[in-house]
Amino acid sequence: MEHHSGGSGTNKNKQMVEQLQRYGVISSKKVVEVMETIDRALFVPDGTPAYVDSPMAIGYNATISAPHMHATCLQLLEENLQPGMHALDVGSGTGYLTACFATMVGPQGRAIGVEHIPELVAASIKNIEKSAAASLLKGGSLSVHAGDGREGWPEHAPYDAIHVGAAAPEIPQPLIDQLKPGGRMVIPVGKIFQDLQVVDKNLDGSVSIRSETAVRYVPLTSRDAQLKGY
Ligand code: SAH
C-alpha cells in the first residue's frame, strides 16, 4: 500500500542516510547534507534497488559502491572537499561521488571524474544532469572525462582530494604526483585482499600512508582486461 512504501524517492534517500547515521557510519553533518542532496536513485540503473546498503552492478563488469563505502570515503575526504578546492574521482562509474564532490567544493572549486568506459561516462553525465549537481556540470566546475585514471588528470592538478573507486595493485605514481601538499587520497590497494588506504601528502612533499579498513572493489586495470572479465 502507498503509505507503507516509505514515501517519495527523496524521502527514501533521506531514510538511507539516517540509517547510516544510526549505524555510526556517518558522523559528519556535511556528509549527511551532501548525501541528502544527491539522490542515489538517479545513479543506479533502472530496476536496481537504490537504497539498499550494497554495491550494485552497472554493466561493463563495474559496480556502484555501497552507500556505506560512499559515506566512508566522503567522510575521510571531507576536510579536502571545502568550497573552492579541487577534487579528482578516478573510476567515476555512475558519477555519484563526482556529483557529491562537486556539490561540496561548489562553483568556485573543481570536481573531475575520470572513467575508462566511454558508455559509463555518457551515462554518468545523464545521471548528473538529473541531479542537484546539474548546474555545476553546466557551469563547468564539474566534468567527467573518458581516460585511463591511472594517469590522473593533469589539467586540473594539483588536487586537494583524490578518490579512487577501483582497487590498484599499487598506488599509481601520477596520482601521488598530482596530490597537493596538504592533500589527501583515498584508494583501495591490493588484489584479492584489499585495504582502503589513506594517503596524506605532507607540506614538505613526503607522504604518510595508513590503512583504514579491509575492502572489496573491482580492479583498477586496463579497459580490455575489465571487458574480458579481468
Ligand atoms: N565510484 C564509482 C565506482 C565505480 S566501480 C561508483 O560508485 O559509481 C569502479 C570504476 O572504475 C568502474 O566504472 C571501472 O570502469 C572504472 N575503472 C577501472 N579501471 C579504470 C582505469 N584504469 N581508469 C579509469 N576508470 C577505471
Side-chain angles (χ1 to χ4, degrees):
M1 279 191 293
E2 205 39 32
H3 61 276
H4 284 161
S5 70
S8 70
T10 318
N11 270 337
K12 287 188 193 167
N13 189 66
K14 203 163 184 235
Q15 285 165 12
M16 175 195 82
V17 177
E18 280 164 5
Q19 192 172 60
L20 291 168
Q21 286 177 274
R22 274 200 304 278
Y23 289 168
V25 178
I26 311 178
S27 53
S28 150
K29 193 162 158 270
K30 279 196 199 151
V31 173
V32 169
E33 266 171 30
V34 75
M35 289 186 74
E36 284 182 354
T37 303
I38 304 297
D39 184 355
R40 184 177 171 89
L42 302 172
F43 293 82
V44 302
D46 285 347
T48 303
Y51 306 115
V52 175
D53 193 14
S54 156
M56 298 287 167
I58 58 170
Y60 311 94
N61 293 320
T63 57
I64 180 170
S65 300
H68 75 270
M69 280 316 307
H70 283 154
T72 298
C73 292
L74 284 166
Q75 205 156 270
L76 286 167
L77 289 169
E78 175 183 5
E79 295 301 318
N80 295 74
L81 292 168
Q82 294 181 47
M85 289 186 165
H86 284 204
L88 175 66
D89 186 20
V90 171
S92 47
T94 60
Y96 174 84
L97 273 182
T98 323
C100 291
F101 294 167
T103 304
M104 290 174 82
V105 301
Q108 309 304 328
R110 204 76 175 70
I112 307 284
V114 183
E115 164 58 53
H116 69 172
I117 307 288
E119 291 88 344
L120 288 179
V121 174
S124 70
I125 289 171
K126 289 216 174 81
N127 299 340
I128 295 165
E129 281 170 347
K130 287 183 257 161
S131 80
S135 62
L136 299 165
L137 184 70
K138 207 156 174 253
S141 65
L142 190 183
S143 55
V144 187
H145 308 268
D148 188 338
R150 293 173 291 190
E151 301 301 325
W153 198 259
E155 195 183 334
H156 296 286
Y159 296 97
D160 300 278
I162 299 180
H163 168 265
V164 183
E170 55 195 38
I171 303 173
Q173 188 60 40
L175 298 184
I176 296 180
D177 295 342
Q178 289 171 35
L179 199 57
K180 192 183 278 182
R184 170 174 280 193
M185 168 160 52
V186 173
I187 176 170
V189 180
K191 290 191 174 159
I192 297 172
F193 298 102
Q194 304 164 6
D195 270 340
L196 189 67
Q197 297 194 349
V198 178
V199 181
D200 286 310
K201 189 175 266 192
N202 304 311
L203 294 178
D204 66 3
S206 63
V207 293
S208 311
I209 304 180
R210 69 175 168 84
S211 290
E212 175 72 14
T213 179
V215 289
R216 192 75 199 265
Y217 279 73
V218 303
L220 185 72
T221 183
S222 71
R223 187 165 55 215
D224 275 0
Q226 182 172 327
L227 294 176
K228 281 187 198 128
Y230 312 111

